[in-house]
Amino acid sequence: MRFEYLEPESIEEALTILSQHPGKSKIIAGGTDLMLQMRNKAIRPEYVVDITRIPSLDDIAFDDQRGLRLGALTTIRALETSVELQRKYPIISQAASQLGSVAIRNVATVGGNLCNALPSAETSQALVALSAQVRIIGPKGERTIPLEGFFTGVGKTLLQPREILLEILVPESPPHTSGIYIKHSPRGPIDLAIVNVTVLMTMEPDQKVCRDARIVLGAVSPTPLRARMAESVLKGKRVDGALIDRASQVASDEANPRKGSIRGSFEYKKEMVRILTGRAIREVAGLREGVLE
Ligand SMILES: Cc1cc2nc3c(=O)[nH]c(=O)nc-3n(C[C@H](O)[C@H](O)[C@H](O)COP(=O)(O)OP(=O)(O)OC[C@H]3O[C@@H](n4cnc5c(N)ncnc54)[C@H](O)[C@@H]3O)c2cc1C
């Protein structure tokens, strides 16, 4: 396959190239998804636009007012190993550590992971749970939208062909908030998830009553799925074994996996959602399995 490889050194230059070749150009960051799609002839861009020479798109920045900012070119390995991220937003580092091998994580970027928009994509679940927003630039200027609404289907997002994802904005979490990310994949991180579950809970200061909850399910619907009914089962309630069982069952009811998936049957995926959601809530609430009142 023949294509022209272009390496803009500024956002403006990249936008000009994308506007000159609408529908024929494709952005490349780490290339771990794009190169496979080109090799499989799933896409045939005439122009491949490498954005990795554009400065400042790989920063991880913390701000007391605005929270966390992740440049789109931040590698998955940087998310995994950033000590400050591990301390302030541990579920992002946990999720990153579960993506592929170290070799893949060294080049794969968070922007690529989000723009590729697989329902099992590692970083999207944790970032949706954290109410992240994405900042996008295009020929008509900039826009910032909630990440949850960014995904429109399997491999599909709101991003237009002439637009670039610049950064991901994550607000500060309220006090007494903690979370966990669980990937279910029998072959470990190297394989895509059969199901992944993120639970983020804000507890009352006594740590027994759940003030707020986010449950995000991956690989069980075309886009990352907020299990809102399961979240409302938890909100305002004392977290005990019976409540966890109810919330996990409701999360499983909300999951809508594709029938005929090679990665697990409809019934298997729903059952794994129930088990993993229960396990995640127990861990976050500090309850050990088997010793619930
Ligand atoms: C062996 C292997 C194992 C893998 N395992 C996992 C896994 O366990 N979990 C998982 O989630 N993924 C996995 N992946 C997929 C892949 O590594 C990730 O999705 C990765 O984060 C993609 O990032 P990238 O920078 O390589 O994206 P690229 O391949 O460069 O780009 C992906 C897509 O996003 C677009 N894009 C990239 N950056 C931008 C931007 N800033 N603005 C606009 N569009 C952009 C590109 O045009 C392209 O369509 C695996 C891949 C391989 C090869």
Side-chain angles (χ1 to χ4, degrees):
M1 186 190 306
R2 295 176 72 86
F3 56 86
E4 203 168 325
Y5 197 83
L6 303 164
E7 295 177 285
E9 294 186 4
S10 68
I11 296 288
E12 296 70 29
E13 202 188 330
L15 288 175
T16 305
I17 295 170
L18 294 173
S19 292
Q20 281 168 346
H21 311 289
K24 295 180 183 169
S25 50
K26 206 74 187 136
I27 289 173
I28 189 166
T32 58
D33 280 317
L34 192 81
M35 293 309 289
L36 282 184
Q37 290 160 4
M38 288 174 65
R39 198 189 306 153
N40 297 339
K41 301 196 169 48
I43 52 168
R44 296 163 180 267
E46 290 176 32
Y47 301 89
V48 173
V49 186
D50 181 344
I51 57 170
T52 58
R53 283 174 182 259
I54 301 175
S56 313
L57 279 185
D58 61 352
D59 289 343
I60 301 180
F62 298 89
D63 183 299
D64 284 346
Q65 256 85 57
R66 294 172 64 193
L68 166 68
R69 287 169 42 234
L70 297 173
L73 291 180
T74 308
T75 65
I76 302 297
R77 185 70 172 155
L79 300 183
E80 178 189 5
T81 55
S82 159
V83 174
E84 218 169 349
L85 210 54
Q86 287 168 358
R87 196 165 56 79
K88 292 190 174 166
Y89 298 89
I91 56 169
I92 298 179
S93 300
Q94 276 175 22
S97 73
Q98 295 296 304
L99 189 154
S101 61
V102 174
I104 293 290
R105 298 201 283 276
N106 275 335
V107 287
T109 64
V110 62
N113 197 227
L114 299 180
C115 294
N116 199 54
L118 279 191
S120 60
E122 235 66 67
T123 61
S124 53
Q125 327 295 328
L127 289 169
V128 166
L130 287 162
S131 307
Q133 297 197 308
V134 282
R135 190 158 77 88
I136 295 166
I137 192 163
K140 291 185 192 148
E142 287 191 24
R143 57 191 179 127
T144 299
I145 54 171
L147 177 62
E148 195 180 344
F150 178 68
F151 303 106
T152 54
V154 179
K156 294 188 187 134
T157 68
L158 287 179
L159 206 69
Q160 298 300 306
R162 298 178 204 193
E163 288 184 318
I164 302 172
L165 172 62
L166 290 179
E167 63 179 2
I168 299 108
L169 312 167
V170 189
E172 191 105 15
S173 298
H176 309 292
T177 300
S178 57
I180 190 168
Y181 172 83
I182 302 178
K183 172 178 185 171
H184 176 55
S185 161
R187 293 203 299 157
I190 196 65
D191 207 359
L192 296 180
I194 292 176
V195 167
N196 39 23
V197 173
T198 304
V199 170
L200 191 72
M201 284 165 64
T202 304
M203 304 298 282
E204 295 294 350
D206 69 3
Q207 294 294 314
K208 294 208 173 90
V209 173
C210 169
R211 185 186 294 170
D212 197 9
R214 295 285 160 89
I215 301 175
V216 186
L217 310 174
V220 292
S221 78
T223 60
L225 179 72
R226 277 274 302 277
R228 284 194 160 78
M229 288 190 289
E231 291 172 0
S232 46
V233 169
L234 294 172
K235 278 186 213 169
K237 314 265 179 33
R238 187 174 189 278
V239 182
D240 61 16
L243 190 76
I244 294 173
D245 287 348
R246 204 156 72 244
S248 317
Q249 185 56 56
V250 171
S252 169
D253 295 342
E254 287 180 84
N256 188 20
R258 184 166 64 84
K259 290 190 174 150
S261 163
I262 52 161
R263 291 187 190 276
S265 69
F266 178 84
E267 293 77 14
Y268 176 72
K269 285 192 171 214
K270 279 176 97 68
E271 180 62 0
M272 287 315 297
V273 167
R274 190 185 68 73
I275 292 168
L276 297 179
T277 304
R279 190 174 297 164
I281 300 170
R282 268 187 196 91
E283 289 240 1
V284 176
L287 301 171
R288 276 189 297 130
E289 222 154 338
V291 291
L292 299 172
E293 321 90 274

